[in-house]
Amino acid sequence: MGTISVFMPNVLILFAHPRFEQSRAQAALVRNLPKDPRVTFRDLYEIYPDFQIDIPLEQKILSEHDIIIWQHPLYWYSAPPLIKQWIDLVLEFGWAYGPGANALEGKWIFNAFSSGGGRDRYSPGGRNRYTIPEFLRPFEQTSWLCKMRYLPPYALMGTHRFSKSTCDSFGQEYGHMVRLLIEGVLDPEEWAAHEFANDYLERFKVEQQ
């Protein structure tokens, strides 16, 4: 089993949920995050209710972290608008991408999202016609352009039918995953071979038994 090749990596969670007070699934994820100085949680809607993003500050925070997570519900097959605003403004030409722009090179990034529909809805034969990796392609391409390594997403799918215990179970798994990330014990190469981070975590759990 390989490891992420950084010393005590820092994880930055960019959280965006415009109706967080009504969330059960995302609330469970947030509630179970490790209380550790290597984990930075930023609630973008709380910090920027007016969408006036502090670009230099966000770039400074990005530069201080090794692993970035876009955490959000799936809104119209993408992320809530503040995530897009953050990408549009913070990932500037000449800093995040373009000739000589290496500020984010080598960092790992992925989505942690929730959706009302289950996995079966996101397939060529399903109601939404396309797969989750297809819907998340803009995030993957953005990461590639910025010389980051995009990993398969952590997914909570079918949340409309989740019980409290199911939400809690996913929350505990997510919190454990973030803990494993800051401890540097997950293998990005093996992670990248799966469609979802959840599948890799299941395999990792079995291999550790």
Side-chain angles (χ1 to χ4, degrees), residues 61-104:
I61 292 171
L62 271 177
S63 69
E64 296 169 345
H65 292 79
D66 312 291
I67 302 166
I68 297 97
I69 305 174
W70 285 308
Q71 183 180 334
H72 58 88
L74 203 65
Y75 268 37
W76 281 102
Y77 311 113
S78 185
L82 190 49
I83 288 278
K84 182 62 165 61
Q85 177 86 338
W86 183 94
I87 290 172
D88 288 346
L89 298 181
V90 176
L91 304 184
E92 290 182 312
F93 178 80
W95 184 81
Y97 71 100
N102 301 309
L104 302 176

Short mmCIF file of all heavy atoms in Angstrom, two decimals, residues 61-104:
data_model
loop_
_atom_site.label_atom_id
_atom_site.label_comp_id
_atom_site.label_asym_id
_atom_site.label_seq_id
_atom_site.Cartn_x
_atom_site.Cartn_y
_atom_site.Cartn_z
N ILE A 61 -4.30 30.62 1.33
CA ILE A 61 -4.74 29.41 2.02
C ILE A 61 -4.52 28.18 1.15
O ILE A 61 -4.07 27.13 1.63
CB ILE A 61 -6.23 29.55 2.42
CG1 ILE A 61 -6.38 30.63 3.49
CG2 ILE A 61 -6.79 28.21 2.92
CD1 ILE A 61 -7.82 30.99 3.80
N LEU A 62 -4.81 28.30 -0.13
CA LEU A 62 -4.55 27.20 -1.06
C LEU A 62 -3.09 26.78 -1.04
O LEU A 62 -2.76 25.59 -1.02
CB LEU A 62 -4.94 27.59 -2.48
CG LEU A 62 -6.37 27.33 -2.94
CD1 LEU A 62 -6.55 27.88 -4.35
CD2 LEU A 62 -6.71 25.86 -2.89
N SER A 63 -2.20 27.77 -1.05
CA SER A 63 -0.77 27.47 -1.12
C SER A 63 -0.28 26.75 0.12
O SER A 63 0.76 26.09 0.10
CB SER A 63 0.03 28.77 -1.32
OG SER A 63 -0.04 29.60 -0.17
N GLU A 64 -1.03 26.85 1.23
CA GLU A 64 -0.62 26.25 2.49
C GLU A 64 -1.14 24.83 2.68
O GLU A 64 -0.89 24.20 3.71
CB GLU A 64 -1.12 27.12 3.66
CG GLU A 64 -0.48 28.50 3.69
CD GLU A 64 -1.15 29.45 4.67
OE1 GLU A 64 -2.27 29.13 5.12
OE2 GLU A 64 -0.56 30.51 4.96
N HIS A 65 -1.87 24.32 1.69
CA HIS A 65 -2.47 22.99 1.81
C HIS A 65 -2.04 22.07 0.67
O HIS A 65 -1.75 22.54 -0.43
CB HIS A 65 -3.99 23.10 1.88
CG HIS A 65 -4.47 23.74 3.15
ND1 HIS A 65 -4.45 25.10 3.34
CD2 HIS A 65 -4.95 23.19 4.30
CE1 HIS A 65 -4.92 25.38 4.56
NE2 HIS A 65 -5.22 24.24 5.16
N ASP A 66 -2.04 20.79 0.96
CA ASP A 66 -1.59 19.78 0.00
C ASP A 66 -2.74 19.05 -0.68
O ASP A 66 -2.61 18.56 -1.79
CB ASP A 66 -0.72 18.75 0.71
CG ASP A 66 0.35 19.40 1.58
OD1 ASP A 66 1.27 20.00 0.99
OD2 ASP A 66 0.25 19.31 2.81
N ILE A 67 -3.87 18.96 0.01
CA ILE A 67 -5.04 18.23 -0.49
C ILE A 67 -6.25 19.15 -0.37
O ILE A 67 -6.48 19.74 0.70
CB ILE A 67 -5.28 16.94 0.31
CG1 ILE A 67 -4.04 16.03 0.25
CG2 ILE A 67 -6.51 16.19 -0.22
CD1 ILE A 67 -4.05 14.91 1.27
N ILE A 68 -7.00 19.29 -1.44
CA ILE A 68 -8.17 20.17 -1.46
C ILE A 68 -9.42 19.35 -1.75
O ILE A 68 -9.41 18.49 -2.64
CB ILE A 68 -8.03 21.30 -2.50
CG1 ILE A 68 -6.83 22.20 -2.15
CG2 ILE A 68 -9.29 22.16 -2.58
CD1 ILE A 68 -5.56 21.86 -2.88
N ILE A 69 -10.48 19.62 -1.00
CA ILE A 69 -11.76 18.94 -1.21
C ILE A 69 -12.82 19.99 -1.51
O ILE A 69 -13.03 20.92 -0.71
CB ILE A 69 -12.18 18.12 0.02
CG1 ILE A 69 -11.09 17.13 0.42
CG2 ILE A 69 -13.49 17.40 -0.25
CD1 ILE A 69 -11.37 16.39 1.73
N TRP A 70 -13.49 19.86 -2.65
CA TRP A 70 -14.70 20.64 -2.92
C TRP A 70 -15.87 19.85 -2.34
O TRP A 70 -16.27 18.82 -2.90
CB TRP A 70 -14.92 20.82 -4.42
CG TRP A 70 -14.04 21.81 -5.11
CD1 TRP A 70 -13.81 23.11 -4.77
CD2 TRP A 70 -13.29 21.60 -6.33
NE1 TRP A 70 -12.98 23.71 -5.68
CE2 TRP A 70 -12.64 22.82 -6.64
CE3 TRP A 70 -13.12 20.50 -7.18
CZ2 TRP A 70 -11.83 22.95 -7.76
CZ3 TRP A 70 -12.30 20.63 -8.28
CH2 TRP A 70 -11.67 21.85 -8.58
N GLN A 71 -16.43 20.29 -1.23
CA GLN A 71 -17.53 19.57 -0.60
C GLN A 71 -18.83 20.33 -0.80
O GLN A 71 -18.94 21.50 -0.44
CB GLN A 71 -17.25 19.38 0.90
CG GLN A 71 -18.33 18.57 1.60
CD GLN A 71 -18.06 18.38 3.08
OE1 GLN A 71 -16.91 18.41 3.52
NE2 GLN A 71 -19.12 18.19 3.86
N HIS A 72 -19.83 19.64 -1.35
CA HIS A 72 -21.07 20.33 -1.73
C HIS A 72 -22.17 19.34 -2.11
O HIS A 72 -21.89 18.19 -2.45
CB HIS A 72 -20.78 21.22 -2.95
CG HIS A 72 -20.25 20.45 -4.13
ND1 HIS A 72 -21.07 19.86 -5.08
CD2 HIS A 72 -18.98 20.14 -4.50
CE1 HIS A 72 -20.32 19.24 -5.98
NE2 HIS A 72 -19.05 19.39 -5.65
N PRO A 73 -23.42 19.79 -2.11
CA PRO A 73 -24.48 18.99 -2.72
C PRO A 73 -24.41 19.14 -4.24
O PRO A 73 -23.84 20.11 -4.74
CB PRO A 73 -25.76 19.62 -2.16
CG PRO A 73 -25.38 21.05 -1.93
CD PRO A 73 -23.93 21.03 -1.51
N LEU A 74 -24.97 18.20 -4.95
CA LEU A 74 -25.02 18.30 -6.41
C LEU A 74 -26.22 19.17 -6.78
O LEU A 74 -27.37 18.81 -6.49
CB LEU A 74 -25.16 16.89 -7.01
CG LEU A 74 -24.69 16.71 -8.45
CD1 LEU A 74 -23.19 16.93 -8.57
CD2 LEU A 74 -25.04 15.31 -8.95
N TYR A 75 -25.95 20.32 -7.38
CA TYR A 75 -27.01 21.24 -7.81
C TYR A 75 -27.02 21.27 -9.33
O TYR A 75 -26.05 21.69 -9.96
CB TYR A 75 -26.72 22.65 -7.28
CG TYR A 75 -27.37 22.96 -5.94
CD1 TYR A 75 -27.48 22.00 -4.94
CD2 TYR A 75 -27.86 24.23 -5.67
CE1 TYR A 75 -28.06 22.29 -3.73
CE2 TYR A 75 -28.44 24.54 -4.46
CZ TYR A 75 -28.55 23.56 -3.48
OH TYR A 75 -29.13 23.87 -2.28
N TRP A 76 -28.13 20.86 -9.92
CA TRP A 76 -28.26 20.86 -11.37
C TRP A 76 -27.01 20.28 -12.04
O TRP A 76 -26.40 20.90 -12.90
CB TRP A 76 -28.61 22.25 -11.92
CG TRP A 76 -30.06 22.56 -11.76
CD1 TRP A 76 -30.64 23.35 -10.82
CD2 TRP A 76 -31.13 22.04 -12.55
NE1 TRP A 76 -32.00 23.36 -10.97
CE2 TRP A 76 -32.33 22.56 -12.04
CE3 TRP A 76 -31.19 21.16 -13.65
CZ2 TRP A 76 -33.57 22.25 -12.57
CZ3 TRP A 76 -32.43 20.86 -14.18
CH2 TRP A 76 -33.60 21.40 -13.65
N TYR A 77 -26.63 19.09 -11.58
CA TYR A 77 -25.53 18.31 -12.16
C TYR A 77 -24.16 18.96 -11.98
O TYR A 77 -23.21 18.64 -12.67
CB TYR A 77 -25.80 18.03 -13.64
CG TYR A 77 -27.19 17.48 -13.88
CD1 TYR A 77 -28.14 18.23 -14.56
CD2 TYR A 77 -27.55 16.23 -13.38
CE1 TYR A 77 -29.43 17.73 -14.75
CE2 TYR A 77 -28.84 15.74 -13.57
CZ TYR A 77 -29.77 16.49 -14.25
OH TYR A 77 -31.05 16.00 -14.42
N SER A 78 -24.06 19.87 -11.04
CA SER A 78 -22.79 20.53 -10.77
C SER A 78 -22.79 20.94 -9.30
O SER A 78 -23.51 20.36 -8.48
CB SER A 78 -22.61 21.73 -11.69
OG SER A 78 -21.33 22.31 -11.52
N ALA A 79 -21.97 21.92 -8.95
CA ALA A 79 -21.90 22.43 -7.59
C ALA A 79 -22.71 23.71 -7.46
O ALA A 79 -23.06 24.35 -8.46
CB ALA A 79 -20.43 22.70 -7.23
N PRO A 80 -23.05 24.13 -6.23
CA PRO A 80 -23.72 25.42 -6.03
C PRO A 80 -22.88 26.57 -6.62
O PRO A 80 -21.66 26.46 -6.77
CB PRO A 80 -23.80 25.53 -4.50
CG PRO A 80 -23.82 24.11 -4.03
CD PRO A 80 -22.89 23.40 -4.97
N PRO A 81 -23.53 27.69 -6.95
CA PRO A 81 -22.85 28.76 -7.70
C PRO A 81 -21.64 29.37 -7.03
O PRO A 81 -20.74 29.86 -7.73
CB PRO A 81 -23.96 29.81 -7.90
CG PRO A 81 -25.01 29.47 -6.91
CD PRO A 81 -24.96 27.99 -6.73
N LEU A 82 -21.56 29.35 -5.71
CA LEU A 82 -20.42 29.97 -5.06
C LEU A 82 -19.13 29.19 -5.31
O LEU A 82 -18.04 29.77 -5.35
CB LEU A 82 -20.67 30.12 -3.56
CG LEU A 82 -19.65 30.97 -2.77
CD1 LEU A 82 -19.38 32.32 -3.44
CD2 LEU A 82 -20.13 31.18 -1.34
N ILE A 83 -19.24 27.89 -5.53
CA ILE A 83 -18.06 27.10 -5.91
C ILE A 83 -17.55 27.58 -7.28
O ILE A 83 -16.35 27.76 -7.49
CB ILE A 83 -18.38 25.60 -5.97
CG1 ILE A 83 -18.57 25.04 -4.56
CG2 ILE A 83 -17.28 24.84 -6.71
CD1 ILE A 83 -17.32 24.69 -3.82
N LYS A 84 -18.47 27.78 -8.21
CA LYS A 84 -18.08 28.27 -9.55
C LYS A 84 -17.47 29.67 -9.44
O LYS A 84 -16.46 29.96 -10.11
CB LYS A 84 -19.30 28.29 -10.47
CG LYS A 84 -19.00 28.74 -11.91
CD LYS A 84 -18.03 27.79 -12.60
CE LYS A 84 -18.01 27.98 -14.11
NZ LYS A 84 -17.58 29.31 -14.55
N GLN A 85 -18.06 30.52 -8.61
CA GLN A 85 -17.50 31.87 -8.41
C GLN A 85 -16.08 31.78 -7.84
O GLN A 85 -15.18 32.50 -8.28
CB GLN A 85 -18.40 32.66 -7.45
CG GLN A 85 -17.92 34.05 -7.09
CD GLN A 85 -18.33 35.10 -8.09
OE1 GLN A 85 -18.63 34.79 -9.23
NE2 GLN A 85 -18.36 36.35 -7.66
N TRP A 86 -15.90 30.88 -6.89
CA TRP A 86 -14.57 30.70 -6.29
C TRP A 86 -13.56 30.26 -7.35
O TRP A 86 -12.46 30.80 -7.42
CB TRP A 86 -14.68 29.68 -5.16
CG TRP A 86 -13.42 29.45 -4.40
CD1 TRP A 86 -13.03 30.06 -3.24
CD2 TRP A 86 -12.37 28.54 -4.74
NE1 TRP A 86 -11.81 29.58 -2.85
CE2 TRP A 86 -11.37 28.65 -3.74
CE3 TRP A 86 -12.17 27.64 -5.78
CZ2 TRP A 86 -10.20 27.90 -3.77
CZ3 TRP A 86 -11.01 26.88 -5.82
CH2 TRP A 86 -10.04 27.02 -4.82
N ILE A 87 -13.94 29.29 -8.17
CA ILE A 87 -13.04 28.81 -9.23
C ILE A 87 -12.73 29.94 -10.22
O ILE A 87 -11.57 30.15 -10.59
CB ILE A 87 -13.67 27.60 -9.96
CG1 ILE A 87 -13.68 26.38 -9.03
CG2 ILE A 87 -12.91 27.28 -11.25
CD1 ILE A 87 -14.45 25.19 -9.59
N ASP A 88 -13.76 30.65 -10.65
CA ASP A 88 -13.58 31.72 -11.64
C ASP A 88 -12.61 32.79 -11.17
O ASP A 88 -11.81 33.32 -11.96
CB ASP A 88 -14.93 32.38 -11.95
CG ASP A 88 -15.85 31.48 -12.77
OD1 ASP A 88 -15.37 30.48 -13.32
OD2 ASP A 88 -17.06 31.78 -12.83
N LEU A 89 -12.68 33.15 -9.87
CA LEU A 89 -11.89 34.27 -9.38
C LEU A 89 -10.55 33.88 -8.78
O LEU A 89 -9.55 34.56 -8.99
CB LEU A 89 -12.71 35.04 -8.33
CG LEU A 89 -14.03 35.67 -8.81
CD1 LEU A 89 -14.70 36.41 -7.67
CD2 LEU A 89 -13.79 36.60 -9.99
N VAL A 90 -10.52 32.79 -8.03
CA VAL A 90 -9.31 32.43 -7.29
C VAL A 90 -8.26 31.78 -8.19
O VAL A 90 -7.06 32.06 -8.06
CB VAL A 90 -9.66 31.50 -6.11
CG1 VAL A 90 -8.40 31.03 -5.39
CG2 VAL A 90 -10.60 32.22 -5.13
N LEU A 91 -8.70 30.95 -9.11
CA LEU A 91 -7.74 30.23 -9.96
C LEU A 91 -7.36 31.10 -11.15
O LEU A 91 -7.71 30.85 -12.30
CB LEU A 91 -8.35 28.89 -10.42
CG LEU A 91 -8.80 27.97 -9.28
CD1 LEU A 91 -9.29 26.64 -9.83
CD2 LEU A 91 -7.70 27.76 -8.24
N GLU A 92 -6.60 32.13 -10.86
CA GLU A 92 -6.25 33.15 -11.85
C GLU A 92 -5.18 32.68 -12.84
O GLU A 92 -4.27 31.93 -12.48
CB GLU A 92 -5.75 34.41 -11.15
CG GLU A 92 -6.79 35.18 -10.39
CD GLU A 92 -6.21 36.44 -9.77
OE1 GLU A 92 -5.14 36.37 -9.14
OE2 GLU A 92 -6.84 37.52 -9.94
N PHE A 93 -5.29 33.21 -14.06
CA PHE A 93 -4.25 33.02 -15.07
C PHE A 93 -2.96 33.67 -14.55
O PHE A 93 -2.98 34.78 -14.01
CB PHE A 93 -4.66 33.66 -16.39
CG PHE A 93 -3.62 33.56 -17.47
CD1 PHE A 93 -3.47 32.40 -18.20
CD2 PHE A 93 -2.77 34.64 -17.72
CE1 PHE A 93 -2.50 32.30 -19.19
CE2 PHE A 93 -1.80 34.55 -18.71
CZ PHE A 93 -1.67 33.37 -19.44
N GLY A 94 -1.87 32.98 -14.72
CA GLY A 94 -0.59 33.50 -14.25
C GLY A 94 -0.26 33.08 -12.83
O GLY A 94 0.89 33.23 -12.39
N TRP A 95 -1.27 32.56 -12.13
CA TRP A 95 -1.04 32.04 -10.77
C TRP A 95 -1.37 30.56 -10.71
O TRP A 95 -0.53 29.75 -10.35
CB TRP A 95 -1.87 32.81 -9.74
CG TRP A 95 -1.60 32.37 -8.33
CD1 TRP A 95 -0.55 32.76 -7.54
CD2 TRP A 95 -2.36 31.43 -7.55
NE1 TRP A 95 -0.61 32.13 -6.32
CE2 TRP A 95 -1.71 31.31 -6.29
CE3 TRP A 95 -3.51 30.69 -7.78
CZ2 TRP A 95 -2.18 30.47 -5.28
CZ3 TRP A 95 -3.98 29.85 -6.77
CH2 TRP A 95 -3.33 29.75 -5.55
N ALA A 96 -2.59 30.21 -11.11
CA ALA A 96 -3.01 28.81 -11.06
C ALA A 96 -2.73 28.07 -12.36
O ALA A 96 -2.54 26.86 -12.36
CB ALA A 96 -4.50 28.72 -10.73
N TYR A 97 -2.74 28.79 -13.47
CA TYR A 97 -2.50 28.16 -14.77
C TYR A 97 -1.88 29.17 -15.71
O TYR A 97 -1.86 30.37 -15.44
CB TYR A 97 -3.79 27.58 -15.35
CG TYR A 97 -4.78 28.63 -15.82
CD1 TYR A 97 -4.89 28.96 -17.18
CD2 TYR A 97 -5.60 29.29 -14.93
CE1 TYR A 97 -5.78 29.91 -17.61
CE2 TYR A 97 -6.50 30.25 -15.34
CZ TYR A 97 -6.59 30.56 -16.69
OH TYR A 97 -7.48 31.51 -17.12
N GLY A 98 -1.37 28.66 -16.81
CA GLY A 98 -0.71 29.52 -17.78
C GLY A 98 0.80 29.36 -17.70
O GLY A 98 1.32 28.66 -16.82
N PRO A 99 1.53 30.00 -18.62
CA PRO A 99 2.99 29.88 -18.65
C PRO A 99 3.64 30.26 -17.33
O PRO A 99 3.40 31.34 -16.79
CB PRO A 99 3.40 30.86 -19.76
CG PRO A 99 2.18 30.98 -20.63
CD PRO A 99 1.01 30.87 -19.69
N GLY A 100 4.42 29.35 -16.79
CA GLY A 100 5.15 29.61 -15.55
C GLY A 100 4.32 29.60 -14.28
O GLY A 100 4.84 29.88 -13.21
N ALA A 101 3.03 29.29 -14.39
CA ALA A 101 2.15 29.28 -13.21
C ALA A 101 2.16 27.88 -12.58
O ALA A 101 1.58 26.95 -13.14
CB ALA A 101 0.73 29.67 -13.60
N ASN A 102 2.80 27.77 -11.43
CA ASN A 102 2.95 26.47 -10.78
C ASN A 102 2.49 26.45 -9.33
O ASN A 102 2.87 25.57 -8.56
CB ASN A 102 4.42 26.03 -10.84
CG ASN A 102 4.94 25.94 -12.26
OD1 ASN A 102 4.33 25.30 -13.11
ND2 ASN A 102 6.07 26.60 -12.53
N ALA A 103 1.65 27.40 -8.95
CA ALA A 103 1.27 27.55 -7.54
C ALA A 103 0.57 26.31 -6.99
O ALA A 103 0.69 26.00 -5.80
CB ALA A 103 0.37 28.77 -7.37
N LEU A 104 -0.16 25.59 -7.85
CA LEU A 104 -0.94 24.45 -7.38
C LEU A 104 -0.40 23.11 -7.86
O LEU A 104 -1.02 22.07 -7.61
CB LEU A 104 -2.40 24.61 -7.84
CG LEU A 104 -3.09 25.90 -7.38
CD1 LEU A 104 -4.49 26.00 -7.97
CD2 LEU A 104 -3.14 25.98 -5.86
#
